[in-house]
Structure formats: C-alpha cells, structure tokens
Amino acid sequence: MVKIKYFVWSILAMFFIAGCENLEDTYSEYAGDGKIQYVGKCTDVVVSPGWERLHVVWKNSLDPNIEKIKIVCQAGDIVRDTFLEPGSTFCDFKGMKDGSYQVDVYAVDRNNKLSLSEPKYGRPYTYDHEMIRSFSQGIIKHFFVGNNVVLFMDIWSDNFVNFELNYTGIDGEVKSLPLTEEVFAQKYYLLRDVDVREEVFITREGLVQDCPDLIVFEPYRLTSDLVFSASFKGWMKERYWIDDLGTDFVNATTALEFDYDILSFEDILYFPNLEKIVFGKNRYLLNDEQILAVYGDGWKSVVTDLEKSEFVLGVAQELKNLKIERYHKHYLPETSTLNINEMGVPDLPVLPYLPTTGWTIANSQGEYIIEDSRYPLDALLDNNYSTVWMPKAHVTLYTYDLTIDMQEEKTVSGIKIVQAAIANAIDILPATVQIETSVNGYDWEMFTHVQSNTLGNGLGEAALFYVETPRQAQYIKVTVSDRVNTGIMNIALGDIAVF
C-alpha cells in the first residue's frame, strides 16, 4: 500500500514539473529574448507656480540607457512639451495661460521608449488668477473733491513692494505720490491740486503667497463712480425715499439730515454742491432733565467710525466750506475740533392730530400675553406720553401687530410714534416700527418708503412719519417686536397719534 502511494505522488510531481516548464516557455515566447526591461522613471516631481510660468523639478533615475528627458504640460487643449539632456533636473514653462495643468516627466531611452510618470498638477499665476484679482489696490475708497483726491488707505502688507499714485497736477506736470508704509499708516490722505480731468491711477508691484516672482499688476484707475456704503444708502432711502442714489440726486442736493446711528459720514464727499448737514433735527427728545439723567448719554446718535467721519467732515469744511448744524449734541464728542453750530433741542411741531374718541386698538398677541392694568393697550391712543402700554414680562419673543380702527375713512398725512417715558422701560423700547394702512382691513399698504422704520431710543422720544401724498384709511397697523432684557422679553410704547 505504501509503495502505491509513493508511485502516485511521483507521477503527480512529474506533471507539476512539466507544467512549470511549459509556463516558462510560454513566458519566454511572450517576452521575446528576455524579460521586459522598464525605463527608469524620474521621481520626486514637484511643480511650483510662478508668474505666467510653472517651475518643475525632479530626480533622475540611475538607468544608464536614458538618453533624454521629456516633460509634458497639458490643460485641456493646451499642450506644451520639451526635451532636455538626460542629466537635467528642472524646467521652466514660461508664457503660460491660466489653467490647471497636468505635468508629466518622462525618461526616454535610446529606443525612444518612455518611462512611467508621476503626474503632478500646477496652476500658474496670471491676471485671471483669483489671488491676483483680489490683490489690494492700495486704497479701499476714494473721492474727487474739486481739484483734490481723498484716499482711504488699505492696511499695509509686507507683500506690497512698490505702490505709486500717478496723476497730473493743475500745473500740467505729470506727478506721482509714492504710497509708502508711512502713507498707509495715516489711513486717510488728502492729495491736493490734481487735474481731475486727466487720468489718476495706481501702479503696483508686489508678491503673493507661494509665488517667488515679483508681480507687476495692472494699473488701477480711479473713477468717479458712486460707491455708497450700505449704511448710507439705507438712511437715504429711509429719510429721502431714494432707491437709487444716482448723479441727479447727488448733484441737486445742497443739504442732508442725519438722525440715527450710522456707520460713517464718508459718502457726503460724493455730493459736489453740498452746503450743509444737520444732525438730530428730527429726534424729538423730551427736554426733561430728570428723564435724560436716567438714560445718561445712551439716547445720543453715534457714528461708528468716528475717526474717519471727523476727517471727512474736516475736509468738507476746508474745501467746501460745509456748515454743520447739530441738535442735542448728537454724533460728535465735545472735544471735536470741527466748526459746529449748536442748535439746542428741536421742538416737536404742532400738528393737527385726529381725535381718537370711539377708536379701538387690538393686539395680535393679546391671547398669549398678560396685560398689566397699570399700562393698558388703549393708553397708546391718548396722545399723552406719561401713560404707556407695557404688558407683563414673559419668556417668549413676540412681534405685535397693533391695529387701530378709526371707525370710518379719514385722510391721513402722518403718524407719530412715541416711546414710553418711564424709567423701567429703558431696556425694552422697540428699535424699529413697521406702519401700514388699509381702507377695508384686508388690503394693506406700506405707509413709508421702507418696511422697517427707525425709532429713537430716548425715553418719551417722538418720531414723525409722513406719507408722500395724504391717503384715505380706516385702519392703521403698527408692528413692533419684543426686546430681550437679561433673558426676559417685553416691550413698552408710549403713543400712536395720527394727523
């Protein structure tokens, strides 16, 4: 039995050996005279972007059969290639257009066989590159004021190499102002005696991240385009009902009024014929020393960027003889060096208020809040600032539609909204109000030119809202929202009067 097993295993071993020999013969026939010989490939390929170029470096193989190096750079239909000596280890592709390029580095032997490659990718810096397009122009805003240019400087960067403002003087000479780090540090710069009929432009040289080349950027031309800030545009729309601050409005305006908080006054420099600005004329604060003392200076309108605004106002006073009238010490500090004509406290106009006998007022959130009997809702209709509406404090943030039914159609020219005049309402006065009118109680029309109208934050402060043309209405809807005070929600309002 053992002899039989040994014989079987011997036969199987012979078949296995024969099979291996046949496989080797087949492989040899397939490979030709010997095994396949691959061309030694280039390794450690690195592609670095430069100005309109790609810089490629690599390590060569030790293969003695290599006779040249081939580099192919391709992006879509754009193909650039070149052949180099076998010992070359770098290459520059110059004059490149914008695009993401695949770069392949091949070793080529005497039979023109190519090695395998390690594809790498790179994108050259060009004028179409977003990092080039977003590179600072050196200034963030400018104004032409007569034969002068006002510059608002950007923040200095170590990537700025050579910046110059080029212009023609009123004497006809071509001149340049080096925009040095010291000029940038001034933040604002007044360049005088410029012939604004000629081109004013900035030339720039600088560096961008990961690019070794000094870049000469395209010149940046200063135009007379009107680029208003959002804060300024918002106030012009609310105060003057202007949707488009175009040249017609700008050129025709000789006076501007500002009443509430604003980011900056810089955009007054766009108005070539501006003679006067007025601060706080339409903020009708109670001239009650006791009430004012409770609130301190918190009711005053502020300009967020005070430094910039004082510079702008000073330039306007120097170059345009701008007059500044100010009511109730709004916006500017007592230490301001500007020439300010103090106007005292504005008087609330005497207006023909409609009698409210028989009128009703409803609160859209009446079923969700608890009214305080000391401050009832109908106190809003008595035109008496010493009585106010203020529900009990709650934990849910509400918006209230306060709807007045005048019982019949009446001609409405304006509406007065008065803040509550009690000390415990300081932190819950509404900041804005929406006003609508209706003839039938179903179809509503916005009363002013904006949906959200600013309210002053002074105790007992009155705001007057006018309609362009008197209109017929039976219903008036006043919409206000809760304020948050240390986690508790509430609201307080003094009066709603119609005239």
Side-chain angles (χ1 to χ4, degrees):
M1 189 66 177
V2 174
K3 290 182 178 181
I4 294 174
K5 289 182 179 181
Y6 179 82
F7 178 78
V8 172
W9 280 110
S10 298
I11 295 298
L12 291 174
M14 290 174 62
F15 277 111
F16 179 74
I17 293 171
C20 290
E21 289 177 350
N22 291 339
L23 180 61
E24 179 66 28
D25 291 341
T26 304
Y27 177 79
S28 297
E29 291 175 5
Y30 175 78
D33 295 334
K35 296 181 180 179
I36 296 176
Q37 298 294 321
Y38 291 98
V39 181
K41 69 177 184 178
C42 301
T43 59
D44 297 337
V45 179
V46 177
V47 179
S48 302
W51 177 247
E52 295 184 340
R53 71 185 181 98
L54 291 176
H55 181 67
V56 187
V57 297
W58 62 90
K59 287 184 180 180
N60 287 312
S61 166
L62 298 178
D63 189 339
N65 296 314
I66 295 174
E67 290 197 342
K68 51 191 172 184
I69 303 295
K70 180 181 181 180
I71 304 100
V72 179
C73 189
Q74 181 173 357
D77 295 333
I78 302 174
V79 180
R80 297 275 299 274
D81 61 8
T82 188
F83 289 92
L84 302 174
E85 294 297 319
S88 303
T89 58
F90 69 91
C91 176
D92 272 312
F93 284 95
K94 298 180 179 180
M96 302 292 286
K97 296 181 178 180
D98 183 52
S100 180
Y101 290 83
Q102 177 179 317
V103 179
D104 292 280
V105 181
Y106 301 96
V108 186
D109 68 7
R110 62 175 63 93
N111 297 315
N112 285 326
K113 289 184 178 180
L114 300 180
S115 70
L116 298 175
S117 72
E118 296 179 358
K120 299 294 181 180
Y121 298 86
R123 181 186 178 192
Y125 290 99
T126 67
Y127 287 125
D128 293 323
H129 197 292
E130 58 273 7
M131 289 188 67
I132 303 301
R133 293 200 306 267
S134 63
F135 194 83
S136 173
Q137 287 129 7
I139 62 173
I140 53 179
K141 201 163 186 176
H142 67 274
F143 302 89
F144 292 102
V145 185
N147 286 323
N148 308 277
V149 182
V150 178
L151 306 173
F152 291 173
M153 309 306 300
D154 202 349
I155 299 174
W156 175 261
S157 168
D158 290 338
N159 289 332
F160 298 170
V161 176
N162 184 24
F163 277 55
E164 287 188 346
L165 182 70
N166 303 271
Y167 65 100
T168 302
I170 57 175
D171 56 5
E173 293 186 13
V174 176
K175 303 179 181 182
S176 65
L177 169 69
L179 300 179
T180 63
E181 184 174 359
E182 290 71 28
V183 173
F184 276 83
Q186 295 182 40
K187 297 183 182 179
Y188 324 111
Y189 193 92
L190 173 60
L191 181 64
R192 304 173 187 273
D193 301 330
V194 179
D195 186 348
V196 296
R197 298 169 301 177
E198 300 294 332
E199 188 175 53
V200 181
F201 61 96
I202 294 175
T203 53
R204 301 168 292 155
E205 293 180 347
L207 302 170
V208 297
Q209 185 179 1
D210 299 327
C211 179
D213 302 324
L214 179 66
I215 298 172
V216 179
F217 294 88
E218 294 177 312
Y220 173 65
R221 180 174 176 268
L222 276 59
T223 70
S224 57
D225 296 341
L226 304 176
V227 185
F228 291 97
S229 67
S231 174
F232 192 91
K233 289 173 64 176
W235 173 244
M236 290 296 103
K237 183 174 182 178
E238 182 173 350
R239 175 65 183 85
Y240 296 102
W241 297 38
I242 298 295
D243 289 306
D244 181 21
L245 285 176
T247 54
D248 290 344
F249 175 76
V250 166
N251 293 336
T253 299
T254 58
L256 288 173
E257 296 179 355
F258 298 91
D259 293 310
Y260 301 106
D261 294 354
I262 195 167
L263 182 62
S264 169
F265 293 123
E266 64 196 61
D267 290 333
I268 67 166
L269 294 180
Y270 282 132
F271 294 76
N273 302 309
L274 190 64
E275 300 172 358
K276 180 176 70 173
I277 59 174
V278 185
F279 293 150
K281 178 182 177 181
N282 305 296
R283 288 200 61 183
Y284 302 107
L285 291 142
L286 279 179
N287 193 20
D288 185 318
E289 294 300 328
Q290 187 175 6
I291 289 179
L292 292 177
V294 170
Y295 209 59
D297 288 338
W299 47 267
K300 290 184 180 180
S301 295
V302 299
V303 52
T304 303
D305 201 329
L306 177 62
E307 180 185 7
K308 179 192 294 183
S309 295
E310 287 199 289
F311 169 78
V312 164
L313 294 171
V315 168
Q317 288 199 327
E318 177 188 347
L319 301 181
K320 301 165 63 69
N321 196 29
L322 179 75
K323 295 179 175 60
I324 300 176
E325 294 181 356
R326 180 171 69 161
Y327 290 84
H328 230 315
K329 309 289 186 179
H330 290 292
Y331 295 116
L332 303 173
E334 293 295 326
T335 56
S336 178
T337 58
L338 296 169
N339 183 15
I340 303 173
N341 185 15
E342 301 291 359
M343 306 297 292
V345 180
D347 294 322
L348 184 66
V350 177
L351 297 166
Y353 297 107
L354 300 179
T356 61
T357 303
W359 290 14
T360 61
I361 183 169
N363 174 14
S364 62
Q365 304 294 352
E367 62 181 301
Y368 301 109
I369 64 169
I370 301 175
E371 296 284 2
D372 190 325
S373 59
R374 296 171 298 171
Y375 311 113
L377 183 63
D378 57 10
L380 294 175
L381 300 180
D382 62 7
N383 202 14
N384 180 355
Y385 72 85
S386 63
T387 60
V388 306
W389 167 65
M390 183 172 65
K392 291 185 179 296
H394 38 272
V395 295
T396 302
L397 194 65
Y398 290 115
T399 292
Y400 307 87
D401 292 335
L402 308 177
T403 304
I404 298 171
D405 183 353
M406 298 185 290
Q407 305 303 316
E408 62 181 2
E409 282 189 31
K410 297 181 182 295
T411 301
V412 178
S413 299
I415 295 173
K416 179 181 73 172
I417 307 292
V418 184
Q419 297 283 27
I422 55 177
N424 57 339
I426 287 178
D427 297 316
I428 56 173
L429 302 176
T432 60
V433 61
Q434 178 179 317
I435 307 172
E436 299 168 274
T437 60
S438 174
V439 172
N440 55 23
Y442 298 99
D443 302 308
W444 295 93
E445 183 180 4
M446 196 160 62
F447 190 69
T448 64
H449 197 58
V450 294
Q451 186 172 22
S452 181
N453 303 272
T454 306
L455 291 175
N457 59 349
L459 292 171
E461 180 175 351
L464 300 178
F465 301 100
Y466 298 88
V467 69
E468 282 186 301
T469 304
R471 67 174 61 163
Q472 295 300 112
Q474 179 177 333
Y475 302 91
I476 296 173
K477 184 191 297 180
V478 174
T479 303
V480 288
S481 297
D482 275 333
R483 301 292 297 274
V484 180
N485 181 25
T486 62
I488 301 298
M489 324 298 173
N490 209 353
I491 191 169
L493 198 61
D495 281 309
I496 303 172
V498 185
F499 57 90

